[in-house]
Amino acid sequence: MSVDAIGYLAALLTTFSFFPQALKTLRSQDTRSISLSMYGLFTLGLATWALFGLLTGNGPVIAANLVTLVPAVFVLQAKLRHRFQRGSSSSVIQ
């Protein structure tokens, strides 16, 4: 098995492990148990890793992070929407 094949396998496993929770959150629209700080940092981290992958030409890093970034942005957007709809005056850190 080549090094790239191992990278793509790891990317596939970690990327697909994220989808069940993202789908559950998007379907239920329940974001109360999601930390806004954690999810914001996580989404920014995915974007940064994707940029790193693009700059270095690392296919597995590009693929895993760009694919995971899509549902992460949707979940983060739902969390932000629900937070502002509630008119929460609590701190950003949850």
Side-chain angles (χ1 to χ4, degrees):
M1 184 177 270
S2 74
V3 172
D4 275 349
I6 293 170
Y8 281 108
L9 177 60
L12 181 76
L13 293 170
T14 57
T15 297
F16 283 119
S17 72
F18 176 76
F19 276 83
Q21 187 64 50
L23 288 172
K24 179 180 179 184
T25 301
L26 291 171
R27 285 183 184 141
S28 71
Q29 291 296 303
D30 182 8
T31 62
R32 289 174 296 184
S33 64
I34 294 174
S35 164
L36 178 58
S37 299
M38 177 272 172
Y39 228 84
L41 290 169
F42 174 70
T43 304
L44 182 59
L46 289 170
T48 306
W49 273 113
L51 178 61
F52 172 81
L54 288 167
L55 293 173
T56 60
N58 189 318
V61 172
I62 296 166
N65 289 286
L66 285 180
V67 170
T68 307
L69 186 61
V70 173
V73 167
F74 282 109
V75 172
L76 180 60
Q77 177 269 333
K79 176 64 176 180
L80 288 168
R81 185 178 65 244
H82 295 143
R83 180 181 177 89
F84 291 117
Q85 282 176 347
R86 286 192 318 257
S88 176
S89 62
S90 63
S91 71
V92 171
I93 298 176
Q94 288 187 1

